[in-house]
Amino acid sequence: MKRFGVSLPDELLEKFDLSIKEKGYANRSEALRDLIRDSLLKDQINSDAIVAGTLTLVFDHHTPDLSRKLDEIQHNHHGSVLSKLHIHLDHHNCLEVAVLKGKCSEIRKLADLMVALRGVKHGKLTFTLTGNDSHQ
Ligand code: NI
């Protein structure tokens, strides 16, 4: 374990301290370690890496043709879609979470296609490595 000093503007440090307190970190070092690990992981993921991720969509199911288009896109990429959860949020809005796995570039493309559809109000893709980092 090495120690190093970090210079930060007061205001930034105050916001950081507040943020890590809310997240339940015991100290700054713990929080910094997680931030650095997360940052390194993002750099490590290249477009050929196999990733697992979730795509969260909120959409109005009354939008003409939207449900059919979402289905069609997922059928065209059936190898990448592992599972899907559909919740009827209210009279108009649906929440869908699709669990995806595949080449990073393909997962991004698949998510972009769905998020771009008319009637999709919110879309967020998150992904991470599958745990077989040494094979990538
Ligand atoms: Ni629904």
Side-chain angles (χ1 to χ4, degrees), residues 8-71:
L8 286 178
D10 288 349
E11 194 189 342
L12 189 58
L13 187 57
E14 276 167 31
K15 283 182 181 166
F16 184 64
D17 282 344
L18 194 64
S19 154
I20 65 175
K21 193 179 164 196
E22 280 171 2
K23 287 174 183 160
Y25 282 106
N27 54 56
R28 290 172 182 158
S29 293
E30 275 295 325
L32 259 184
R33 278 195 283 273
D34 276 359
L35 282 175
I36 291 170
R37 281 191 196 108
D38 194 46
S39 168
L40 291 174
L41 184 67
K42 281 189 179 125
D43 291 345
Q44 197 186 341
I45 298 178
N46 64 47
S47 56
D48 286 332
I50 302 298
V51 298
T54 56
L55 174 66
T56 304
L57 297 174
V58 172
F59 60 91
D60 185 339
H61 77 105
H62 292 120
T63 307
D65 232 18
L66 177 57
S67 298
R68 189 191 62 76
K69 285 178 183 164
L70 282 169
D71 262 3

Side-chain angles (χ1 to χ4, degrees), residues 61 86-88 94:
H61 77 105
H86 185 110
I87 310 278
H88 311 299
C94 302

